[in-house]
């Protein structure tokens, strides 16, 4: 083996063929085209010296060194003269791809250009040299035709068995049709893209076929599942290289973009495929030759991180990994247990003391009533322990029937949230506590009624005359029958209460309330939100029956022994007052609809006039009633306007009967209502003359998100329409920042003496005041949705935040789960187009905003870890609004990272 070293120097000045050739920085894998130099810093050296090693045996070129040119090399002319050596000519003979196309077409300059690299050849050489680096190798990982989710635990053979099984079910006479290829290999939702792969692999065999055998399928499968990046890249290239000349034209790139858009169901991107194909050609073909080659497509993928990182300031946390996560977990077992117990107490002490107090109260009442009836020897001799157990359970029922009203007194809870009570009462768990009490009521009914019906009533009816004699005065001297006990006032009211409570509790169950139980007509009316709402109002009758039941006791005669009214009177009066206030206030808060925005994804945005005196906090919600639809139904919606705005706004997804009817009555008589893919603005000033419906507002009411000002850092996670409460928070943060900046500007105009006084006052603040003033310095907003049209909902807000947030206070992260994860072949080109367009125009191709959209679902563990690393020793408020399925994962991560890092995460959830 013989090797030769060739040393050449390059200048960043233009060469004779008019193309620029720059040496990239050592840390950047730079072989990009027209746009990439904008993102790279200028070189400090005018000339560099590149040392290459040529291997005779395997025709390899190895990059030995890149260094500033020596002092004796001072001009580009001298460099070119030295490059015209025999060794250089030998290199060009060995590696034919180094020959410039432009030098072949220009005969007059053939001698001078023979040894000079053309712009494209130079970039190709750079690409080959960069490809040898390990860092470049890592950047090339991830071009996959098979999703990670389809990869089984048993490896490639197990996957092939699944493909083979699908072949047997899809094949006709042992042949698999071309349209069924996608379903067979697992690309069920990407049929067009799969057909493109089929055609590319068929062209490799020199065939134009529409059906394949199992053996041919096996051959195709081995090529698709090849883990080599080169093999994957070649298939991807061949999909666009329909004429197999090793070149892809603009039309080929456009076809590949359309296939990717079709696989990801991005119709808008499909319509703009020609524009984005031009963008790629502009970047990869700066020489305007009209085509690109395999190495250029590889170069684009190699630059993936460079382009994406350039377009990422508004959509990725710039994190210095300052925390060593393992260092915060004590190695000693006792200390680990102690820290875990400490974190558990910090997270649950509010819930714990409330539940403990409630359990103690029930146990005390049960014991007191049990002891009281145990002392009644005459009754105890007849009915034994059945009676005190039933009476003890009945006493807990009175307490719980009173307490169950308190968690649903919304005005009272909203007021309490603004007091010191929020520091020791978990108001976010009011509905959970309501459900726990309901469960305790169900248990109490079983114990109370069960003992009466099956134990003490039979004992009383069957008792001997001697034992019954002391009790005869309680029953007017006549021994009661079982029928008498059931048909008396106490028995009838008790049975009716049990029936009404059973109906109400059953229809309030999750499966009935969310219409998950399918019943035949007409029983299907018993499921859904309306059935839950109306059946819950039957409980008003239960309280009337409870008062009657508690005043008709057989064994209690004095007024102070009949304690039912003592328990329920105050909570019942409070609840009645609440409902009365809500009714009166809703009549006063009659709002006028200013405009309606019909948005993609069956969402409408209502912008309404703000009632006089209506004050609210970001994160709170209101109830809306439309008498035209129903005079009784009220539905909750998060407020999306900021407290400082002069209007109210809500975003409503039309998925239920009431919301669909609201959309219909608002747009009734307007012919332009059927808009699916773009926003439509309807000015309601004209619609009012046609009798638009009135809307009543009830609220505002407290919600977990309104506590956002109590935290140093915010992590806001919205799932679909669950982003609505956080839009108001983001607007409020921006308004607060804007107000603070205006005050700061005004303060600069004060005199020195005033500045000195202000400085003294600031320095005299207590540590608590300083900490409070520094809160809410950062917010991380993650919005996860399935429909690209959803980004239209808050497009204006996103752009406003991106424009106003110059200090990087708010990080916005949009995730589109309908697009295949980054690295999948079906989304790779979309990722490239997205990065190029964002780098050039500053606009995301999917959201239409300055915020870049990520694909698939977030890696939540990575998200939490990055926030913990960026904000050590801070308290992070994690607020989630969406479906319950994600809440558990976020809660677990909040708990885990609070244990492992110095950052404390406090989780709050809100379901829609």
């Amino acid at each position: 083996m013989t090797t030769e070293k060739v040393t050449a120097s390059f200048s960043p000045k233009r060469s004779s063929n008019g193309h620029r050739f720059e040496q990239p920085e050592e840390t950047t894998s730079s072989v990009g085209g027209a746009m990439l130099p904008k993102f790279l810093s200028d070189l400090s050296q005018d000339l560099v010296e590149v040392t290459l090693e040529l291997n005779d045996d395997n025709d390899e070129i190895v990059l030995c060194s890149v260094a500033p040119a020596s002092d004796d090399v001072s001009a580009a002319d001298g460099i070119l003269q030295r490059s015209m050596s025999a060794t250089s000519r030998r290199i060009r003979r060995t590696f034919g791809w180094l020959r410039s196309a432009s030098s072949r077409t220009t005969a007059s300059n053939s001698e001078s250009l023979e040894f000079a690299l053309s712009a494209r050849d130079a970039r190709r050489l750079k690409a080959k040299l960069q490809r040898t680096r390990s860092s470049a190798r890592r950047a090339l990982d991830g071009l996959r035709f098979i999703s990670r989710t389809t990869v089984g635990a048993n490896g490639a053979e197990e996957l092939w068995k699944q493909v083979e099984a699908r072949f047997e079910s899809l094949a006709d006479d042992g042949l698999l049709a071309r349209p069924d290829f996608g379903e067979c290999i697992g690309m069920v939702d990407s049929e067009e893209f799969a057909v493109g792969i089929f055609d590319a692999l068929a062209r490799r065999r020199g065939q134009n076929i529409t059906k394949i055998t199992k053996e041919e399928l096996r051959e195709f499968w081995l090529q698709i599942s090849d883990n080599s990046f080169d093999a994957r890249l070649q298939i991807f290239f061949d999909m666009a290289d329909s004429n197999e000349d090793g070149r892809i034209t603009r039309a080929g790139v456009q076809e590949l973009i359309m296939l990717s858009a079709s696989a990801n169901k991005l119709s808008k991107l499909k319509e703009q495929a020609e524009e984005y194909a031009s963008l790629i050609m502009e970047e990869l073909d700066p020489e305007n030759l009209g085509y690109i080659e395999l190495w250029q497509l590889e170069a684009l993928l190699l630059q993936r991180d460079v382009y994406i990182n350039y377009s990422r300031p508004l959509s990725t946390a710039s994190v210095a990994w300052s925390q060593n996560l393992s260092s915060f977990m004590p190695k000693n077992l006792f200390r680990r247990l102690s820290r875990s117990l400490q974190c558990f107490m910090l997270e649950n002490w509010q819930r714990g003391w409330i539940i403990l107090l409630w359990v103690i109260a029930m146990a005390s009442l049960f014991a007191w009533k049990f002891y009281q009836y145990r002392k009644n020897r005459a009754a105890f001799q007849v009915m034994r322990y059945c009676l005190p157990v039933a009476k003890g359970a009945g006493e807990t029922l009175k307490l719980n029937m009173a307490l169950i009203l308190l968690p649903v007194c919304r005005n009272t809870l909203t007021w309490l949230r603004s007091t010191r009570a929020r520091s020791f009462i978990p108001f976010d768990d009011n509905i959970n506590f309501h459900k726990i009490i309901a469960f305790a009521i169900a248990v109490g009914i079983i114990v109370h009624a069960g003992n009466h019906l099956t134990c003490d009533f039979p004992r009383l009816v069957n008792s001997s005359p001697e034992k019954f004699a002391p009790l005869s005065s309680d029953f007017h001297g006549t021994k009661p029958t079982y029928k008498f006990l059931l048909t008396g006032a106490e028995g009838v009211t008790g049975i009716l209460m049990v029936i009404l409570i059973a109906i109400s509790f059953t229809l309030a169950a999750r499966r009935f309330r969310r219409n998950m139980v399918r019943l035949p007509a007409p029983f299907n009316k018993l499921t859904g939100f309306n059935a839950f709402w109306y059946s819950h109002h039957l409980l008003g009758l239960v309280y009337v029956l409870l008062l009657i039941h508690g005043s008709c006791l057989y064994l209690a005669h004095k007024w102070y022994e009949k304690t039912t009214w003592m328990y329920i009177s105050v909570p019942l009066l409070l609840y009645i007052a609440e409902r009365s206030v809500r009714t009166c206030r809703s009549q006063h808060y009659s709002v006028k609809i200013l405009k309606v925005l019909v948005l993609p994804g069956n969402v409408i945005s209502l912008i309404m006039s703000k009632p006089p005196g209506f004050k609210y906090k970001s994160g709170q919600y209101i109830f809306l009633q439309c008498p035209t639809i129903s005079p009784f139904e009220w539905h909750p919606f998060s407020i999306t306007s900021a407290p400082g705005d002069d209007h109210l706004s809500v975003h409503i997804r039309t998925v239920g009967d009431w919301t669909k009817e609201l959309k219909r009555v608002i747009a009734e008589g307007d012919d332009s209502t059927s808009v699916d893919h773009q926003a439509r603005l309807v000015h309601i000033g004209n619609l009012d003359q046609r009798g638009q419906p009135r809307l009543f507002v009830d609220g505002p009411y407290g919600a977990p998100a309104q506590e956002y000002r109590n935290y140093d850092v915010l992590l806001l996670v919205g799932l679909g329409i669950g982003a609505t409460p956080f839009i108001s928070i983001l607007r409020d943060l921006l308004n607060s920042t804007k107000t603070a900046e205006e005050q700061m500007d005004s303060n600069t105009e004060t005199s020195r003496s005033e500045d000195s006084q202000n400085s003294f006052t600031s320095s005299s603040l207590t540590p608590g005041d300083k900490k409070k003033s520094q809160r809410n310095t950062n917010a991380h907003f993650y919005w996860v949705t399935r429909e690209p049209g959803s980004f239209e909902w808050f497009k204006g807000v996103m752009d406003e935040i991106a424009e106003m947030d110059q200090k990087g206070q708010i990080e916005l992260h949009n995730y589109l789960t309908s697009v295949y994860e980054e690295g999948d072949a079906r989304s790779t080109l979309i990722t490239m187009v997205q990065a190029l367009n964002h780098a050039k125009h500053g606009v995301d191709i999917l959201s239409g905003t300055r915020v870049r959209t990520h694909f698939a679902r977030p890696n939540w563990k990575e998200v939490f870890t990055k926030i913990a690393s960026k904000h050590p020793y801070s308290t992070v408020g994690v607020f989630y609004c969406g479906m319950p399925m994600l809440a558990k994962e976020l809660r677990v991560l909040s708990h885990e990272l609070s244990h492992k890092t110095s950052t404390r995460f406090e989780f709050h959830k809100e379901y829609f």
Side-chain angles (χ1 to χ4, degrees):
M1 179 186 75
T2 61
T3 61
E4 294 186 53
K5 288 189 176 180
V6 183
T7 300
S9 299
F10 302 99
S11 170
K13 300 177 182 178
R14 290 189 179 274
S15 60
S16 59
N17 60 1
H19 297 295
R20 186 179 178 88
F21 176 31
E22 296 186 348
Q23 172 66 24
E25 293 180 358
E26 183 68 22
T27 58
T28 306
S29 301
S30 177
V31 291
M35 280 168 46
L36 192 57
K38 300 176 185 178
F39 318 141
L40 303 176
S41 59
D42 294 333
L43 297 173
S44 59
Q45 298 291 334
D46 288 338
L47 298 175
V48 294
E49 188 168 307
V50 180
T51 303
L52 309 176
E53 183 175 287
L54 174 63
N55 191 317
D56 282 348
D57 295 343
N58 53 15
D59 292 336
E60 284 187 351
I61 292 180
V62 179
L63 177 65
C64 295
S65 65
V66 179
S70 55
D71 295 337
D72 58 336
V73 182
S74 58
D77 293 337
I79 298 170
L80 293 176
Q81 288 298 324
R82 282 202 307 274
S83 67
M84 297 171 61
S85 62
T87 305
S88 297
R89 288 193 295 272
R90 184 179 174 193
I91 294 174
R92 296 182 61 80
R93 284 195 303 270
T94 304
F95 300 96
W97 50 268
L98 288 175
R99 290 191 293 272
S100 169
S102 58
S103 64
R104 292 194 300 268
T105 57
T106 309
S108 59
N109 296 328
S110 58
E111 184 176 354
S112 60
L113 295 179
E114 180 182 358
F115 306 107
L117 300 174
S118 68
R120 178 169 289 198
D121 289 336
R123 290 193 294 116
R124 191 187 320 205
L125 176 59
K126 286 184 183 180
K128 190 171 183 66
L129 296 177
Q130 292 293 100
R131 182 74 187 274
T132 64
R133 298 184 181 182
S134 59
S135 60
R137 278 291 184 184
R138 288 194 299 269
L140 292 173
D141 291 337
L143 183 61
R144 300 180 306 276
F145 290 95
I146 304 172
S147 300
R148 288 195 182 114
T149 55
T150 64
V151 178
N154 296 328
E157 284 302 319
E158 181 64 28
L159 281 175
W160 167 246
K161 289 180 181 178
Q162 297 174 15
V163 174
E164 192 175 24
R166 288 192 289 265
F167 175 87
E168 298 298 337
S169 62
L170 295 171
D172 184 15
D173 294 333
L175 295 175
L176 179 70
R178 178 171 169 264
D180 296 329
F181 180 71
E183 182 179 354
C184 188
I185 65 173
M187 289 188 176
V188 181
D189 299 326
S190 314
E191 292 183 0
E192 290 186 41
F193 195 87
V195 167
I197 298 174
F198 181 95
D199 292 340
L201 296 177
R203 284 195 297 270
R204 285 187 178 183
R205 297 166 55 93
Q207 298 174 331
N208 184 13
I209 54 178
T210 59
K211 294 183 178 182
I212 55 174
T213 63
K214 184 188 290 188
E215 290 73 20
E216 291 170 326
L217 174 64
R218 173 72 173 175
E219 181 183 339
F220 283 9
W221 173 256
L222 290 175
Q223 296 178 64
I224 294 171
S225 58
D226 192 333
N227 291 326
S228 166
F229 173 80
D230 295 298
R232 295 171 177 175
L233 179 65
Q234 189 64 58
I235 296 175
F236 197 63
F237 185 86
D238 291 344
M239 291 175 65
D241 184 18
S242 56
N243 57 4
E244 302 179 86
D245 62 351
R247 300 175 178 181
I248 304 179
T249 62
R250 187 190 309 269
V253 174
Q254 181 178 340
E255 179 65 24
L256 203 53
I257 292 175
M258 292 183 69
L259 286 175
S260 299
S262 176
N264 292 280
K265 299 177 177 59
L266 300 174
S267 56
K268 185 177 179 180
L269 183 65
K270 204 170 182 179
E271 295 169 0
Q272 297 176 292
E274 183 177 357
E275 174 188 346
Y276 297 137
S278 299
L279 184 66
I280 288 181
M281 294 300 293
E282 177 185 341
E283 175 66 12
L284 297 184
D285 183 29
E287 300 86 11
N288 294 321
L289 297 179
Y291 64 88
I292 60 174
E293 298 171 294
L294 178 65
W295 67 270
Q296 289 167 291
L297 185 61
E298 177 184 315
L300 181 64
L301 299 179
L302 184 65
Q303 296 302 320
R304 175 179 179 273
D305 290 338
V306 177
Y307 289 115
I308 290 179
N309 287 334
Y310 179 76
S311 67
R312 190 173 277 178
L314 295 173
S315 56
T316 293
S318 302
V319 178
W321 292 86
S322 57
Q323 291 197 52
N324 181 1
L325 302 183
S326 61
S327 65
F328 293 98
M329 179 60 70
K331 296 181 179 180
N332 183 277
L333 178 61
F334 176 77
R335 290 184 178 180
R336 283 207 305 269
L337 293 176
S338 175
R339 181 174 176 82
S340 298
L341 180 61
Q342 180 183 4
C343 290
F344 178 81
M345 293 299 295
L346 285 173
E347 292 174 2
N348 298 283
W349 72 269
Q350 290 179 324
R351 303 181 185 94
W353 85 265
I354 291 288
I355 295 295
L356 181 62
L357 180 63
W358 173 61
V359 171
I360 291 174
M362 285 197 301
S364 300
L365 288 173
F366 183 92
W368 170 66
K369 189 60 69 170
F370 184 94
Y371 176 74
Q372 190 179 53
Y373 276 86
R374 176 67 178 81
K375 284 176 58 179
N376 188 339
R377 293 186 178 275
F380 184 76
Q381 288 296 325
V382 175
M383 291 173 274
R384 302 300 294 174
Y385 286 99
C386 301
L387 178 63
V389 169
K391 292 299 183 179
E395 204 68 15
T396 64
L397 277 173
K398 298 173 190 177
L399 173 67
N400 288 327
M401 288 297 290
L403 290 179
I404 200 169
L405 293 172
L406 299 181
V408 292
C409 291
R410 298 191 187 97
N411 288 297
T412 304
L413 294 183
T414 301
W415 171 71
L416 288 174
R417 280 179 181 271
S418 62
T419 67
R420 292 182 179 272
R422 70 173 184 271
S423 62
F424 56 87
I425 298 178
F427 292 111
D428 293 350
D429 293 321
N430 63 315
I431 298 301
N432 289 332
F433 190 50
H434 181 77
K435 293 177 181 178
I436 291 173
I437 296 174
F439 178 77
I441 289 174
V443 174
I445 289 174
I446 293 172
V447 176
H448 178 75
N451 271 276
H452 275 324
L453 295 175
T454 63
C455 190
D456 56 14
F457 281 6
R459 280 180 172 271
L460 178 62
V461 171
N462 298 319
S463 62
S464 64
E466 294 79 11
K467 289 186 176 181
F468 177 74
L471 299 177
S472 61
S473 60
D474 292 310
F475 298 94
H476 307 289
T478 304
K479 186 177 179 181
T481 63
Y482 198 85
K483 180 179 179 181
F484 174 81
L485 294 173
L486 293 181
T487 57
E490 190 176 8
V492 170
T493 54
I495 292 172
L496 287 175
M497 282 192 295
V498 171
I499 294 173
L500 293 176
I501 289 176
I503 293 173
S504 178
F505 282 20
T506 301
L507 296 182
R510 181 175 177 271
R511 292 183 62 82
F512 281 89
R513 181 166 42 89
R514 292 189 173 272
N515 210 12
M516 299 169 65
V517 177
R518 300 298 179 186
L519 298 176
F523 300 104
N524 57 340
K525 299 294 184 181
L526 295 177
T527 61
F529 181 82
N530 286 340
F532 153 75
W533 191 86
Y534 287 113
S535 65
H536 241 54
H537 283 73
L538 293 175
L539 295 175
L541 182 58
V542 169
Y543 281 94
V544 175
L545 294 172
L546 181 60
L547 287 172
I548 299 172
H549 184 80
S551 63
C552 299
L553 300 178
Y554 291 117
L555 301 178
H557 304 288
K558 298 178 181 179
W559 68 270
Y560 57 82
E561 293 178 341
K562 301 176 181 181
T563 58
T564 303
W565 66 273
M566 300 179 187
Y567 285 97
I568 68 173
S569 57
V570 173
L572 189 59
L573 288 174
L574 176 63
Y575 183 75
I576 292 173
E578 280 254 347
R579 296 301 296 261
S580 301
V581 168
R582 288 164 59 181
T583 302
C584 296
R585 183 174 58 187
S586 63
Q587 295 296 326
H588 176 68
Y589 286 165
S590 177
V591 297
K592 178 183 178 182
I593 303 177
L594 302 178
K595 51 188 171 184
V596 177
L597 196 62
V598 180
L599 301 167
N602 293 322
V603 171
I604 59 174
S605 173
L606 295 184
I607 300 177
M608 303 165 287
S609 60
K610 194 174 183 179
F614 188 89
K615 296 181 180 179
Y616 63 94
K617 297 179 180 179
S618 293
Q620 292 184 331
Y621 66 96
I622 57 175
F623 280 84
L624 288 180
Q625 185 205 63
C626 181
T628 305
I629 301 173
S630 171
F632 304 109
E633 292 188 49
W634 291 86
H635 292 264
F637 300 101
S638 297
I639 305 173
T640 53
S641 54
D645 295 340
D646 58 356
H647 62 272
L648 277 177
S649 68
V650 294
H651 285 66
I652 302 173
R653 188 164 194 177
T654 55
V655 292
D657 297 338
W658 190 88
T659 54
K660 290 178 180 177
E661 188 67 12
L662 177 66
K663 181 179 179 181
R664 186 192 67 79
V665 297
I666 287 179
E668 191 173 18
D670 192 279
D671 296 333
S672 59
T673 58
S674 58
V675 179
D676 295 326
H677 301 293
Q678 61 183 13
R680 177 181 62 81
L681 192 62
V682 181
H683 291 278
I684 301 300
N686 298 328
L687 299 180
D688 282 340
Q689 300 174 1
R690 300 201 299 269
Q692 278 297 306
R694 298 169 65 196
L695 287 181
F696 294 110
V697 173
D698 179 29
Y701 291 112
Q706 78 175 67
E707 308 294 336
Y708 70 96
R709 289 194 178 275
N710 299 329
Y711 297 95
D712 306 313
V713 182
L714 300 178
L715 173 57
L716 311 174
V717 180
L719 202 63
I721 198 65
T724 49
F726 308 132
I727 296 302
S728 178
I729 292 175
L730 295 177
R731 281 175 165 157
D732 192 34
L733 289 176
L734 283 179
N735 290 343
S736 300
T737 303
K738 185 177 180 180
T739 302
E741 291 176 351
E742 290 174 354
Q743 291 177 351
M744 187 179 297
D745 293 339
S746 64
N747 289 338
T748 58
E749 300 175 2
T750 58
S751 63
R752 284 189 177 181
S753 60
E754 291 173 334
D755 291 339
S756 176
Q757 179 65 29
N758 291 338
S759 176
F760 174 79
T761 304
S762 176
S763 64
S764 63
L765 289 172
T766 64
D769 293 333
K770 289 182 179 180
K771 185 176 181 180
K772 185 176 180 180
S773 65
Q774 293 172 355
R775 291 211 157 189
N776 294 143
T777 55
N778 291 91
H780 304 262
F781 176 49
Y782 284 80
W783 185 14
V784 184
T785 182
R786 279 195 58 81
E787 303 173 0
S790 302
F791 296 125
E792 293 282 345
W793 302 348
F794 308 116
K795 181 177 179 180
V797 178
M798 296 289 183
D799 285 332
E800 184 181 1
I801 292 172
E803 182 178 351
M804 294 179 60
D805 188 29
Q806 301 297 327
K807 297 181 180 180
Q809 177 186 4
I810 300 173
E811 290 182 354
L812 306 175
H813 306 256
N814 293 339
Y815 279 83
L816 187 62
T817 60
S818 61
V819 178
Y820 289 95
E821 60 188 353
E822 295 177 4
D824 193 291
R826 287 162 285 190
S827 63
T828 294
L829 200 59
I830 296 176
T831 304
M832 297 299 103
V833 171
Q834 179 194 47
L836 288 172
N837 191 78
H838 200 291
K840 183 174 183 180
H841 303 295
V843 177
D844 184 72
I845 63 174
L846 298 178
S847 67
T849 68
R850 294 176 60 185
V851 183
R852 195 178 71 84
T853 301
H854 303 271
F855 301 153
R857 291 174 175 80
N859 184 335
W860 291 114
K861 187 170 185 179
E862 181 180 338
V863 169
F864 275 75
T865 305
K866 285 184 177 181
I867 292 176
S869 299
K870 188 174 183 180
H871 307 286
Y873 305 100
S874 299
T875 302
V876 180
V878 183
F879 296 92
Y880 169 72
C881 183
M883 300 295 287
M885 53 189 174
L886 182 57
K888 183 177 180 181
E889 180 181 357
L890 298 181
R891 180 188 293 278
V892 169
L893 285 171
S894 298
H895 179 77
E896 179 183 338
L897 269 294
S898 295
H899 283 57
K900 292 184 178 180
T901 70
S902 65
T903 306
R904 182 182 170 195
F905 293 86
E906 293 187 7
F907 179 74
H908 306 269
K909 67 179 183 299
E910 184 178 352
Y911 297 148
F912 59 79

